[in-house]
Amino acid sequence: MTSAKDPNSIEWLGERLARKEDLRLVTGKGKYLADIVIPGTLHAVFVRSEYAHANITGIDLSEAESMPGVVAIYTGENIKDRINPMPQAIVQPNLPAKYPTFWPLAVGKVTFHGEPVALIIARDKYIAEDASELVLVDYEELPVVLDPEKALSRNSTVVHEKDGTNEIFSMTFTGGENEEAQNSNEAEVNAIFESAPVVVKERFKTHRTGLTPMEPRGVLCDWNESDGLTAYITTQRPHIDRLALSDILEISAEKVRVIAPRDQGGGFGVKAPFYRENIIIAYAAKSLGKPVRWIESRYESLMNVGQERDQINDMEIAADLEGNLLALRNKGIADNGVGTTGVYWGFVMPFLGAIELPNAYKWPKAHISLKVATTNKACLTPSRAFGHFPTRFALERCIDMVAHKIGMEASELRRNNLVDALPYTSVTNEYYDSGDFLKVWDTLVEKADISAFRKRQSEALNDNRYIGIGFGCGVELSGVASDLLVPMENQPGYGAATVRLDPRGKVQVFGGDAPGGQGHETTTAQVVASEFGIDPAAVVVTTGDTGTTPFGSGSIGARAGSYFVSAVADACRELKEKITRILAYDLKIEARTEHFEFTDGEVIYIGDRSKKSSFVSIVERIIMFPINLPENEVGGLDATAFFEAAKPMICFNADCCVVEVNIETGDFEILEWMTTEDVGNVINPMVVDGQMHGAIVQGISNAVFEEFVYDDQGQQLTADFENYKLATAADVPNIDIHYATTPCPHTPLGTRGIGEGRPSSIPGALTNAVCDALTPLKIEITELPLRPNSIWEKIQQAKQP
């Protein structure tokens, strides 16, 4: 795009338009939760448990209550009869699981380090902080359970006594709906393994890691009797939060309004659950009749949210000597943590990870099962690569091991087993709607030039340098269809948007989902501009306000590029039909919408291009001068559209990386990273590039640098950035991005969403490259994080005679 072009004449889809959001963000004009000011706001600080598992035998509030400036103090005991406990239907999946009962503040006992025990409300945050240190809590320590396998044993301490077990969820995902069919399928799989010429069997462990948004969580609530509750919440799902607050606090729904701030410093899934802190802050604002604000500290954030992955996968692959994959068998065990987080409850992520385990490969047979254990750790919360970061690591590593065993290029083995015709239904009954996996794969492999790399690798080895190449790929959800989201989260999956034209030809778009910096304002404006033939600068996008936007299930599962923009396009097309009906009437011609062109800020009759109107003029005529209209027409130009795809949709990506390993220290350097994506028709390549860069960096950071660590007493040891290490710019490579797109047949623009699951192929590709570099030592790595010290230990073991 150049400034010399008429902005109305550009076909905006596919343009690298600079992000509309960036000017305010880079100049410090963004408006985050902490920037919202309501006069008379009180400030909240939580007192959090110092123990991972303990009975609360007493709480002394006397000193804190007497401190000047303290307005109120709440404990579990004094709110348990005034606030409904969780679970509540709106935030409880339709899945067979144990759902722990809990309140916003601990009642009777604490179950993880950092659980909220009391809430201080004070005149300012400094007084609240000081008062929180004066609250004296007496604890009677209880045994902790921190290992998921031990938690599932019969003699384990039980975290939630009423459940009688630590097994919060279990399921078999293959073979059918009933136990008899599943057992029969398992027997068939066992028979394949018994006769297969090649079998790889390993235990893969993935550590507890996740994502840390730049802006932590926060909530600001205000109450008055006439309007009810207004809650500003850093959330990806304001409409879900609104319903949940209404149910739990028993406030009539029309009296609850939730607003996600226009600007949020990242979400990545962390801001998708319904959190207990929001409940008690809303309750405090209502009971005090004053605005109350809570801003999460980084310490609180790292103790409580963003923790995911944390799985063991006992995986086996059967193959023949030609490299055909015959069967997959996996028994997964996930460490759920305490399981007290609304919507997801911890186990929903491992659940989806098991469904998506087969990835892009054809599996004639599989037996896939999962057990999820409750432990005395913070509850798992969603993170990008929702549930399948650990399963994809295990699968991609296992496939490389098969290739090593039969002496075949791992890239060739993968290609031979990729799904080659879509639509396709996986062995876990996941539907792959469309695309071309081989096109994506071949584009990547061509860029990688494996034969040239092998020559380079051999030459390097002669110089005692160890370099390697690794691959991974990922089938990801492109939005989440209601068919999956209703059972998984008890919520719909459709996209919704309202498009409103004003008399000056400007456009307002309203969406109920709440983005966290992905560029939705820009891509939405490009869609509208393309439909109406106008400048994106004439489009304003409002999101995340339940008082002004249609119901939306939230910014989750890559919904924006699939469901939300599809609803926007449908709403625009509905308005175009009305505009052209009235314009045809005014021009005294018989014509339908397809006979008109919206371009260059004009609406032109294609049959006679002299018959036209400026876009602004016809819009003003319909809104401001609604007289002499066709029969049954009325003025105004607003449209709301709801989009649900005919089929669940997917996107696909493939990664390749090249590393060099120092066998003296175990250190490694990523020399190259190449990736190929199929996101359907691309609205803005620059925005998608940014999503890919971010996802790959997050994947590398998770796989190599980050880890939540607990000691033997369940104390969280990584609650600051001194101990929880993130990758920096110096740690990550240049990323070479390519596209091999196939338009999606189920969306009006042919677009797909991508970004939600994107990091899942990263740990496998990276670890495969390290193992490929160490081929002379026959080293296979089965655990994350991928650290130099663990690589060095394996090198030393391999050197032993």
Side-chain angles (χ1 to χ4, degrees):
M1 185 182 70
T2 64
S3 59
K5 289 185 180 181
D6 179 351
N8 295 320
S9 68
I10 297 172
E11 172 49 63
W12 290 104
L13 295 186
E15 282 290 318
R16 289 181 174 271
L17 177 67
R19 293 189 356 146
K20 290 166 66 73
E21 300 91 330
D22 286 352
L23 178 62
R24 70 172 183 266
L25 297 179
V26 300
T27 57
K29 302 289 176 56
K31 192 166 187 178
Y32 299 86
L33 184 101
D35 297 315
I36 299 170
V37 177
I38 301 176
T41 295
L42 302 173
H43 296 266
V45 169
F46 286 94
V47 178
R48 295 183 180 272
S49 170
E50 300 171 3
Y51 296 93
H53 199 197
N55 290 322
I56 300 172
T57 59
I59 302 179
D60 183 352
L61 305 175
S62 56
E63 283 193 72
E65 286 176 327
S66 64
M67 187 172 179
V70 171
V71 176
I73 301 179
Y74 300 94
T75 67
E77 290 298 327
N78 64 32
I79 57 95
K80 69 176 183 178
D81 296 324
R82 303 175 188 177
I83 298 176
N84 289 325
M86 298 273 268
Q88 294 289 326
I90 183 63
V91 290
Q92 179 178 323
N94 289 320
L95 292 170
K98 301 285 194 303
Y99 294 93
T101 299
F102 69 99
W103 283 264
L105 301 172
V107 174
K109 75 168 189 172
V110 294
T111 52
F112 70 99
H113 180 211
E115 182 169 5
V117 174
L119 176 67
I120 312 292
I121 308 291
R123 188 177 62 233
D124 62 48
K125 63 182 180 180
Y126 306 104
I127 293 172
E129 285 282 0
D130 289 344
S132 70
E133 296 180 5
L134 299 178
V135 174
L136 302 177
V137 185
D138 292 327
Y139 295 100
E140 177 187 40
E141 283 193 75
L142 298 170
V144 297
V145 55
L146 303 170
D147 179 274
E149 288 186 290
K150 291 180 180 177
L152 294 172
S153 66
R154 288 185 179 181
N155 59 354
S156 172
T157 296
V158 176
V159 178
H160 302 292
E161 289 90 348
K162 81 173 185 66
D163 294 333
T165 176
N166 288 323
E167 185 181 289
I168 190 170
F169 177 80
S170 66
M171 184 173 283
T172 296
F173 295 83
T174 46
E177 296 296 323
N178 59 66
E179 188 175 354
E180 182 180 357
Q182 293 167 0
N183 291 341
S184 175
N185 176 74
E186 185 178 9
E188 292 178 37
V189 171
N190 292 343
I192 293 172
F193 273 91
E194 288 172 6
S195 61
V198 179
V199 173
V200 169
K201 179 179 180 180
E202 290 287 348
R203 166 165 280 208
F204 296 90
K205 292 185 177 181
T206 310
H207 60 306
R208 180 169 281 234
T209 182
L211 293 169
T212 52
M214 292 176 66
E215 179 195 25
R217 297 176 297 146
V219 55
L220 167 61
C221 291
D222 191 18
W223 170 269
N224 65 68
E225 291 300 329
S226 58
D227 297 327
L229 176 69
T230 301
Y232 298 88
I233 303 175
T234 53
T235 177
Q236 295 168 226
R237 316 184 79 172
H239 283 274
I240 301 302
D241 284 9
R242 171 180 173 265
L243 294 176
L245 286 172
S246 171
D247 290 351
I248 289 175
L249 296 177
E250 295 185 341
I251 303 171
S252 185
E254 81 279 4
K255 290 276 195 173
V256 180
R257 181 181 184 184
V258 173
I259 304 171
R262 178 181 65 178
D263 298 313
Q264 293 191 61
F268 313 112
V270 172
K271 294 173 183 173
F274 180 65
Y275 288 110
R276 60 170 82 198
E277 288 92 348
N278 301 343
I279 303 169
I280 189 66
I281 298 300
Y283 172 79
K286 183 176 184 294
S287 63
L288 296 172
K290 298 272 190 181
V292 179
R293 181 201 305 271
W294 170 68
I295 302 292
E296 182 180 50
S297 69
R298 183 60 65 185
Y299 176 79
E300 289 177 296
S301 178
L302 288 168
M303 287 183 70
N304 285 274
V305 299
Q307 302 188 24
E308 217 225 84
R309 325 314 187 194
D310 209 353
Q311 286 188 33
I312 299 167
N313 285 284
D314 290 315
M315 184 171 290
E316 302 170 67
I317 289 180
D320 63 23
L321 294 173
E322 287 71 45
N324 297 304
L325 301 176
L326 304 176
L328 170 65
R329 190 159 55 189
N330 188 65
K331 293 182 179 179
I333 298 174
D335 185 338
N336 194 68
V338 75
T340 52
T341 299
V343 179
Y344 299 96
W345 302 88
F347 68 82
V348 173
M349 285 73 74
F351 162 81
L352 186 61
I355 290 176
E356 299 209 299
L357 171 57
N359 205 356
Y361 305 109
K362 295 175 289 188
W363 299 99
K365 279 286 180 181
H367 176 69
I368 298 170
S369 63
L370 171 70
K371 288 183 183 293
V372 184
T374 304
T375 63
N376 293 117
K377 297 178 184 174
C379 184
L380 292 188
T381 52
S383 290
R384 208 174 187 181
F386 186 105
H388 46 80
F389 188 95
T391 53
R392 293 279 170 85
F393 165 68
L395 184 70
E396 296 294 350
R397 278 272 52 235
C398 220
I399 287 175
D400 258 41
M401 292 179 187
V402 172
H404 298 164
K405 209 163 190 178
I406 63 177
M408 188 177 185
E409 276 285 358
S411 60
E412 182 183 350
L413 187 147
R414 280 181 170 79
R415 191 191 192 282
N416 291 348
N417 290 280
L418 285 174
V419 172
D420 53 7
L422 284 87
Y424 177 86
T425 301
S426 78
V427 287
T428 57
N429 207 37
E430 183 179 10
Y431 182 79
Y432 301 167
D433 70 296
S434 62
D436 189 337
F437 296 172
L438 296 181
K439 177 182 174 182
V440 173
W441 189 259
D442 290 344
T443 300
L444 178 70
V445 170
E446 180 184 353
K447 300 295 181 184
D449 196 348
I450 296 170
S451 60
F453 174 80
R454 291 300 179 206
K455 181 179 178 182
R456 178 176 147 208
Q457 184 183 43
S458 178
E459 292 170 351
L461 192 58
N462 290 336
D463 294 333
N464 202 35
R465 293 176 52 234
Y466 292 75
I467 63 172
I469 193 167
F471 293 88
C473 65
V475 172
E476 316 294 353
L477 294 175
S478 176
V480 189
S482 291
D483 283 351
L484 177 58
L485 200 60
V486 169
M488 191 169 77
E489 298 183 13
N490 208 15
Q491 293 150 18
Y494 54 73
T498 296
V499 177
R500 177 180 301 158
L501 299 179
D502 78 7
R504 300 296 178 260
K506 308 302 181 183
V507 187
Q508 292 176 286
V509 180
F510 298 90
D513 300 345
Q518 301 98 317
H520 291 184
E521 291 178 38
T522 304
T523 51
T524 302
Q526 287 179 258
V527 169
V528 173
S530 180
E531 289 292 326
F532 288 138
I534 60 175
D535 188 344
V539 182
V540 174
V541 180
T542 299
T543 56
D545 181 346
T546 65
T548 61
T549 63
F551 183 90
S553 284
S555 290
I556 59 168
R559 282 165 44 85
S562 52
Y563 283 75
F564 176 62
V565 298
S566 295
V568 171
D570 284 348
C572 288
R573 291 173 187 185
E574 182 180 334
L575 293 175
K576 287 166 72 174
E577 289 181 4
K578 182 172 182 177
I579 290 168
T580 53
R581 284 197 306 269
I582 295 174
L583 180 57
Y585 178 82
D586 288 351
L587 294 173
K588 297 179 172 53
I589 58 176
E590 293 288 335
R592 295 188 301 273
T593 302
E594 59 266 28
H595 300 142
F596 287 88
E597 184 176 82
F598 285 70
T599 186
D600 294 344
E602 295 182 318
V603 186
I604 303 171
Y605 175 52
I606 297 172
D608 179 353
R609 301 187 73 84
S610 68
K611 296 182 183 297
K612 62 183 179 179
S613 168
S614 73
F615 181 76
V616 172
S617 295
I618 186 60
V619 167
E620 184 180 31
R621 179 263 193 273
I622 294 170
I623 297 173
M624 298 299 294
F625 313 117
I627 58 174
N628 191 26
L629 293 172
E631 188 177 356
N632 298 323
E633 292 284 1
V634 295
L637 286 169
D638 284 36
T640 298
F642 295 86
F643 174 82
E644 184 86 76
K647 297 285 186 180
M649 300 178 292
I650 54 97
C651 56
F652 181 63
N653 62 77
D655 286 284
C656 171
C657 72
V658 175
V659 303
E660 180 169 356
V661 181
N662 183 329
I663 64 165
E664 300 302 322
T665 64
D667 285 308
F668 61 91
E669 179 184 1
I670 303 172
L671 304 177
E672 302 171 35
W673 199 288
M674 294 163 278
T675 179
T676 305
E677 327 295 329
D678 181 4
V679 297
N681 291 333
V682 180
I683 297 172
N684 187 323
M686 183 176 69
V687 169
V688 180
D689 284 358
Q691 285 289 302
M692 297 308 98
H693 281 107
I696 291 166
V697 169
Q698 286 174 339
I700 293 169
S701 190
N702 275 188
V704 180
F705 298 99
E706 302 176 41
E707 183 177 14
F708 289 103
V709 178
Y710 291 79
D711 69 13
D712 292 342
Q713 286 74 47
Q715 297 281 312
Q716 229 269 63
L717 303 180
T718 43
D720 56 52
F721 283 146
E722 182 178 3
N723 294 292
Y724 190 81
K725 172 78 168 80
L726 298 170
T728 68
D731 298 314
V732 296
N734 180 60
I735 297 169
D736 189 14
I737 299 174
H738 304 276
Y739 294 94
T741 61
T742 53
C744 180
H746 305 301
T747 58
L749 301 170
T751 56
R752 306 178 193 272
I754 195 170
E756 158 67 38
R758 186 59 186 83
S760 64
S761 55
I762 307 307
L766 178 57
T767 311
N768 286 339
V770 170
C771 292
D772 185 68
L774 299 174
T775 296
L777 298 172
K778 294 184 171 60
I779 288 174
E780 300 287 11
I781 295 170
T782 58
E783 293 189 22
L784 294 177
L786 183 63
R787 298 269 171 79
N789 62 309
S790 61
I791 296 171
W792 181 85
E793 288 171 2
K794 284 191 172 291
I795 292 170
Q796 303 317 304
Q797 293 168 8
K799 286 180 177 179
Q800 296 299 318

